[in-house]
Amino acid sequence: MYYPYLRGKQFELLALREFVEKYSDNCKVFPIIEPVKNSFNSMKIALKKLQEKNVPYALILNPQNGELIGKVETILEELVELLLDTDKWIPAYIVNTNAKGISNHIQTKGYQQVMLICQNSVDSNNLEFLELINLPGITKALISNDNRSLKRKLDRLGKDVIRLDDNFKPQKRNSDYVDIPEEIFTEEHRYYDIEDKYQGLGDYTVLTSDFLEGGRLPYAVAIHLTYEKNSDEIWVRHFVSDTNDDSTNIQGKFGEAAEKAVHFFEQIPFSNDSIAELTGYYRNEQYPGLGVLKKISIKNHLELMNSILSH
Amino acid sequence: MKKQMAHGQKEKMRSYASIFSSTSFARLLKNEDFDFINKKIERYDSNKIGKNFTTYSEYIRYAYNSLKKEYRCEYVYKNELINELLLKKYGTENTVVINEFKVGNSVADMVLFNGTSKAFEIKTELDSEKRLSGQLNDYTKIFKECYIVTHESLIEKYLETDEKIGVIAIIKHNNSFKMREVRKATVSEDIDASVLIRSLRTQEYKNVVMAYFGQLPCVSNFQMFDECAFLMKQIPNSELHRLFITELKKRASNTQLLQSFYKELRQLCLSLKINQKDYQELSLKLSQPIKL
């Protein structure tokens, strides 16, 4: 199973919705969503779609970023109708030094199936943390690959252990990708299960694990698309515009970047829904907006991981 | 500043200046987060509560007036520019004021559109004049009138810049401060279409081309910018100025509302593009008594 970690923002959620719309019948994707926005509209539409299509997901109840930090009751109230059916979703918690509070919350709520996302500040010998992972309700735990002793402990307790990798290497500016046409993204999909004995693998898709808000109009347009290279490795290719000296003419810049992407995938040749959508905008000479480009990048990665884990 | 300010006093003034931050006020508006003000009160002024001020708005006035006397940072200049020149002299009817407007490789501190177009570059006593000639060179490419806004002690220095550039100064007058136009800017009819198009939004440059030629070029979206840039160069200067001003005056603006905002916070309200409803909320929050 593949566990993409997504922040509950408009275009991340849109990517998810469009993905499950098409792939719910053969879905190897178990999304983890961190709510970060006060306005719950996009979130409600997306969760509704996931439930309708019977795709289970994890919802983080103690977000560490954005507008909902410490607002667990707000989250539960806003989404109350969607969360009634506990077969459709599982609660998730980000664990750092807050194990005690999480244990209390799980017990108060009586949750039976819980996911933990362990940050690197977790001390696997800490008593409160040990009490937390010993709760029978804890079924899944995401950890970084660096924490071997934690993995062993969780394994012994019979939990599903999932590795969470921070695969995307962000550059300061989009124009910095000009010198990095592509780079290896991951090959863990080959090793995570049989060799490394994880029950799943996760990443932050083609976004950085850092939480970033807004941003200004960039000087360069960059489209990040993952694809399978050398038959068994996943690479990310950065398609960047050429005229990058100021923030004007974003349409023209999109045209430049999209042209490179479209030609590249024609030559492999490879396509999926996301590549087809991008090709469509390029052929119709239509600029879809930066949000849609982000959606395409994320959706493409979901499609890719789903197809790799399916065969 | 005449006397060298004592170190502690300077720190305090810097602290006061940091109160007038748009990120902090945006957060205050969203949540009830008075932390950024409370910290300053705790550090410097907790003994004055109930004497010099009781509510948050009174404290803001207190801090602002201290800045005006002792530490005229950019915020004070921008705010006084709004209070003294925009509201008292130019009037807000039919005027649009914009904060931080991108021109060429520079960003003008404040620009104004009514029948004409004006750009203002603020040079406080705390600023260096580095980059000034580059900035003015950029602004004069699309604005009819360009001004340096400075302190009275620096008038002589800035009068030495290009004669076409106007000079406005903050001047001490019977214990209060006034903004005075020391030298009027020369109105320029030159305009550089290739700089202008880069300061406009997509819909705006399309509107300019549409208004003059009656139609848009028959090219794809990807080539629209280049084609419009080419066409805009053929529009006569006076006409291009007029179309530029017409388009910018269409931008959503709260200039008309500025008069109704707290005198000390007008610049913040402008940069946050605060509307009537948000203002009422902000004003309600600030009218509360200080609670540490």
Side-chain angles (χ1 to χ4, degrees):
Chain A
M1 209 43 135
Y2 166 57
Y3 296 79
Y5 187 116
L6 292 165
R7 267 132 196 164
K9 300 206 253 178
Q10 189 185 359
F11 290 99
E12 280 84 338
L13 293 166
L14 190 57
L16 199 52
R17 255 162 71 192
E18 291 185 5
F19 170 79
V20 295
E21 183 67 58
K22 170 123 191 226
Y23 296 92
S24 60
D25 290 343
N26 177 27
C27 190
K28 303 284 180 209
V29 175
F30 191 116
I32 303 166
I33 306 168
E34 179 180 17
V36 291
K37 293 276 173 197
N38 266 327
S39 109
F40 281 84
N41 296 338
S42 314
M43 180 70 90
K44 284 179 186 165
I45 303 171
L47 298 191
K48 212 167 153 197
K49 176 59 73 187
L50 287 163
Q51 307 209 348
E52 197 183 296
K53 293 285 176 186
N54 283 311
V55 174
Y57 60 91
L59 183 70
I60 295 176
L61 298 183
N62 66 336
Q64 304 292 305
N65 297 290
E67 300 167 356
L68 295 168
I69 298 171
K71 302 252 174 87
V72 56
E73 287 311 319
T74 312
I75 299 169
L76 293 173
E77 273 164 37
E78 285 282 345
L79 301 172
V80 63
E81 284 157 33
L82 290 155
L83 302 182
L84 284 175
D85 188 348
T86 48
D87 289 343
K88 303 275 193 187
W89 70 288
I90 63 171
Y93 296 86
I94 299 171
V95 195
N96 36 57
T97 51
N98 53 358
K100 182 90 191 135
I102 296 172
S103 296
N104 290 342
H105 197 257
I106 293 171
Q107 284 166 315
T108 316
K109 295 283 175 187
Y111 291 135
Q112 301 295 315
Q113 291 206 344
V114 176
M115 171 188 281
L116 298 180
I117 298 149
C118 302
Q119 296 187 326
N120 278 351
S121 53
V122 157
D123 174 356
S124 64
N125 290 311
N126 175 282
L127 212 61
E128 291 174 350
F129 178 73
L130 291 171
E131 277 168 22
L132 172 64
I133 57 173
N134 269 291
L135 290 180
I138 308 292
T139 48
K140 293 175 190 290
L142 274 79
I143 62 169
S144 88
N145 192 39
D146 307 326
N147 211 334
R148 297 235 151 233
S149 59
L150 175 56
K151 178 169 189 305
R152 208 158 302 150
K153 284 196 176 101
L154 292 162
D155 278 340
R156 264 191 235 123
L157 289 165
K159 317 287 183 189
D160 282 354
V161 187
I162 296 141
R163 58 179 294 156
L164 177 60
D165 297 314
D166 193 357
N167 288 329
F168 189 80
K169 309 217 167 23
Q171 298 296 322
K172 246 206 206 110
R173 295 163 307 182
N174 278 347
S175 55
D176 295 339
Y177 292 107
V178 168
D179 302 324
I180 317 165
E182 66 173 2
E183 53 196 315
I184 189 146
F185 190 79
T186 185
E187 35 184 353
E188 296 311 328
H189 55 288
R190 289 153 71 178
Y191 308 114
Y192 79 97
D193 49 358
I194 297 173
E195 208 155 308
D196 291 344
K197 307 273 188 297
Y198 285 96
Q199 273 75 41
L201 81 167
D203 62 25
Y204 296 87
T205 72
V206 280
L207 301 171
T208 154
S209 60
D210 292 335
F211 180 73
L212 303 173
E213 276 280 44
R216 18 179 27 174
L217 210 50
Y219 277 28
V221 168
I223 310 172
H224 311 286
L225 295 170
T226 45
Y227 73 106
E228 214 175 354
K229 190 181 180 181
N230 308 332
S231 83
D232 228 0
E233 295 163 5
I234 296 174
W235 285 61
V236 60
R237 207 166 168 92
H238 312 291
F239 302 96
V240 190
S241 51
D242 299 313
T243 2
N244 302 329
D245 53 313
D246 63 27
S247 67
T248 52
N249 193 13
I250 191 109
Q251 297 90 333
K253 286 171 185 169
F254 166 70
E256 293 166 358
E259 181 174 20
K260 294 177 190 171
V262 167
H263 286 170
F264 178 80
F265 285 101
E266 272 173 356
Q267 281 184 351
I268 296 185
F270 174 79
S271 192
N272 57 26
D273 270 21
S274 310
I275 309 285
E277 183 179 346
L278 181 65
T279 309
Y281 293 125
Y282 174 68
R283 299 262 180 257
N284 296 326
E285 301 187 321
Q286 183 194 353
Y287 166 62
L290 293 176
V292 171
L293 287 185
K294 180 164 84 166
K295 180 207 74 179
I296 288 176
S297 289
I298 297 169
K299 195 169 78 169
N300 171 68
H301 187 62
L302 300 180
E303 286 189 84
L304 178 70
M305 293 305 288
N306 199 59
S307 91
I308 289 176
L309 296 192
S310 297
H311 51 60
Chain B
M1 271 155 259
K2 279 179 204 145
K3 270 183 298 185
Q4 204 41 264
M5 220 192 283
H7 180 69
Q9 185 67 1
K10 197 164 184 178
E11 282 304 306
K12 175 166 143 186
M13 288 301 137
R14 280 206 187 119
S15 260
Y16 282 178
S18 73
I19 293 175
F20 298 88
S21 123
S22 42
T23 4
S24 302
F25 270 83
R27 209 163 41 225
L28 172 63
L29 201 54
K30 227 171 188 176
N31 315 314
E32 191 91 355
D33 188 357
F34 282 103
D35 214 38
F36 71 109
I37 305 182
N38 285 342
K39 286 223 170 85
K40 317 291 188 280
I41 303 178
E42 274 165 22
R43 199 176 314 145
Y44 302 111
D45 300 308
S46 56
N47 59 341
K48 302 192 193 78
I49 302 175
K51 290 180 232 150
N52 301 49
F53 39 77
T54 327
T55 64
Y56 283 103
S57 61
E58 285 163 5
Y59 182 69
I60 286 171
R61 175 160 306 157
Y62 172 84
Y64 184 80
N65 285 336
S66 313
L67 288 174
K68 221 164 129 180
K69 279 197 208 97
E70 297 184 41
Y71 191 81
R72 287 165 295 274
C73 54
E74 186 174 289
Y75 181 83
V76 171
Y77 275 81
K78 281 188 169 174
N79 202 55
E80 291 304 307
L81 199 57
I82 295 173
N83 289 337
E84 292 292 319
L85 275 190
L86 174 68
L87 297 181
K88 289 196 184 149
K89 192 167 170 214
Y90 304 140
T92 53
E93 205 168 321
N94 251 327
T95 302
V96 166
V97 182
I98 300 172
N99 235 316
E100 312 273 296
F101 187 86
K102 190 171 115 13
V103 194
N105 294 319
S106 314
V107 177
D109 289 320
M110 200 175 268
V111 300
L112 171 156
F113 302 89
N114 41 28
T116 182
S117 55
K118 302 185 191 214
F120 300 96
E121 179 57 35
I122 291 165
K123 289 291 168 202
T124 74
E125 301 123 275
L126 315 163
D127 289 334
S128 86
E129 69 234 72
K130 248 195 283 169
R131 293 202 15 84
L132 180 65
S133 63
Q135 289 167 324
L136 293 174
N137 189 34
D138 277 338
Y139 308 159
T140 47
K141 283 178 181 154
I142 64 170
F143 283 91
K144 286 189 158 187
E145 304 171 40
C146 299
Y147 283 92
I148 295 169
V149 184
T150 190
H151 185 252
E152 58 180 324
S153 63
L154 300 170
I155 293 175
E156 290 307 316
K157 176 162 115 189
Y158 288 118
L159 277 175
E160 281 168 23
T161 52
D162 188 334
E163 279 182 4
K164 296 198 294 280
I165 308 295
V167 175
I168 292 169
I170 272 196
I171 288 169
K172 192 161 187 242
H173 180 76
N174 300 337
N175 244 344
S176 72
F177 293 89
K178 296 271 166 235
M179 280 263 172
R180 218 183 74 204
E181 209 172 88
V182 180
R183 177 168 77 194
K184 219 180 152 10
T186 313
V187 180
S188 153
E189 286 300 330
D190 294 343
I191 186 163
D192 184 332
S194 71
V195 174
L196 176 59
I197 192 171
R198 291 178 163 80
S199 288
L200 296 177
R201 298 172 179 165
T202 307
Q203 197 51 52
E204 290 168 345
Y205 65 68
K206 282 173 151 178
N207 287 347
V208 167
V209 168
M210 190 73 187
Y212 188 76
F213 295 96
Q215 59 180 51
L216 283 175
C218 292
V219 296
S220 81
N221 271 324
F222 299 166
Q223 280 115 44
M224 188 58 77
F225 178 89
D226 292 335
E227 199 57 32
C228 285
F230 172 76
L231 288 171
M232 264 172 61
K233 286 188 187 139
Q234 300 168 30
I235 302 177
N237 283 357
S238 62
E239 196 53 18
L240 191 53
H241 268 298
R242 194 181 62 77
L243 292 169
F244 168 38
I245 293 169
T246 312
E247 274 314 308
L248 265 294
K249 280 171 76 173
K250 289 189 206 159
R251 280 206 190 167
S253 131
N254 62 2
T255 312
Q256 270 71 29
L257 298 173
L258 288 175
Q259 186 94 53
S260 66
F261 297 155
Y262 280 122
K263 195 163 111 249
E264 298 77 22
L265 294 181
R266 285 175 180 150
Q267 156 61 13
L268 262 169
C269 292
L270 179 70
S271 68
L272 287 172
K273 303 191 172 81
I274 274 181
N275 60 27
Q276 196 67 53
K277 188 179 141 282
D278 285 345
Y279 179 70
Q280 274 162 5
E281 206 170 304
L282 182 65
S283 142
L284 201 67
K285 286 184 176 169
L286 294 177
S287 63
Q288 299 175 59
I290 294 165
K291 213 168 65 200
L292 295 181

